Amino acid sequence: MQVLKEKYSIYCVFLVFSLLSWISITHTKKILVHIKNPISLVILMSFITFILMLFMVGCGIVSSPRDTLRDIDSIASRDMLILLLIAVIFSIGRIIFSTLLKHHDPRTIKISGYMISTLVSGGALYLMKRKSFTASRYLGFTLFAIGGYLFIV
C-alpha cells in the first residue's frame, strides 16, 4: 500500500471509485427491481463484505490477524461506542438509500448526493478554516445549486 502515500494517489482512487459507483448504482437498481424488500440486498452485501474482510485479514493480504486484533483492542471504550453509533447510523442509511434507489432514478440520487455533499463540504471547510465568506464564494455556491438543479430537471 506504499503507492497510496504518493501525492496524486488520492485523485486516482477517487476517480476509480467514482466510476465504479456509477456502475454499481446502475446494477443495484436492476437488482432492486426484482427484490421485494431492499433490506435483503443490504444484508447480502454486508455479509459478503464481512466474509471478504475476514478472508483478507485471515490470509494476511491487508494485515495480519494478530495486528488487526491488537489494533482493535487498542481502541478506547468511548471511541468504540462512538464507532458503534456510527455503524448503526450508516446501517440505517444503507437501508434508506437502498429503498430510495428502488423508487428513484439513479442519476437523480447521484447528482443530488453530489450537490448536497459539495455544499456541506464547502460549509464545513468554511467553518474549519474560519475564512470570510466572500461574494465570489456566495456566487459559486449559488451557481453550483442552480447547475445541480438543472441537471436533475
Side-chain angles (χ1 to χ4, degrees):
M1 294 291 171
Q2 188 68 22
V3 72
L4 294 179
K5 293 181 180 180
E6 297 299 323
K7 184 177 182 179
Y8 295 104
S9 64
I10 191 166
Y11 302 112
C12 294
V13 169
F14 274 99
L15 176 65
V16 168
F17 281 94
S18 181
L19 292 170
L20 288 174
S21 75
W22 277 98
I23 295 167
S24 171
I25 198 169
T26 304
H27 185 68
T28 302
K29 174 70 174 183
K30 291 177 185 174
I31 294 171
L32 286 170
V33 169
H34 303 292
I35 292 177
K36 182 180 178 183
N37 189 351
I39 196 169
S40 305
L41 187 60
V42 172
I43 290 171
L44 174 64
M45 291 306 296
S46 297
F47 179 73
I48 291 170
T49 301
F50 178 73
I51 296 300
L52 269 171
M53 289 296 109
L54 281 180
F55 175 77
M56 290 170 63
V57 171
C59 292
I61 296 171
V62 292
S63 176
S64 73
R66 178 174 289 136
D67 288 343
T68 302
L69 290 174
R70 187 172 356 108
D71 286 342
I72 291 170
D73 192 43
S74 71
I75 298 172
S77 298
R78 182 175 185 270
D79 291 332
M80 195 64 83
L81 287 173
I82 292 170
L83 289 173
L84 178 65
L85 179 63
I86 292 169
V88 168
I89 292 168
F90 275 60
S91 295
I92 292 168
R94 287 181 73 180
I95 295 166
I96 291 169
F97 287 120
S98 292
T99 306
L100 283 172
L101 183 58
K102 182 172 178 64
H103 301 293
H104 298 281
D105 184 28
R107 295 170 298 183
T108 303
I109 291 173
K110 290 292 285 183
I111 294 299
S112 299
Y114 174 74
M115 282 178 29
I116 292 167
S117 176
T118 302
L119 289 172
V120 168
S121 296
L125 285 172
Y126 165 72
L127 290 173
M128 292 170 68
K129 290 272 188 174
R130 303 274 189 224
K131 287 190 175 181
S132 62
F133 218 69
T134 62
S136 64
R137 290 190 178 126
Y138 279 119
L139 180 63
F141 275 124
T142 304
L143 290 174
F144 178 76
I146 292 168
Y149 173 76
L150 291 175
F151 262 112
I152 292 174
V153 294

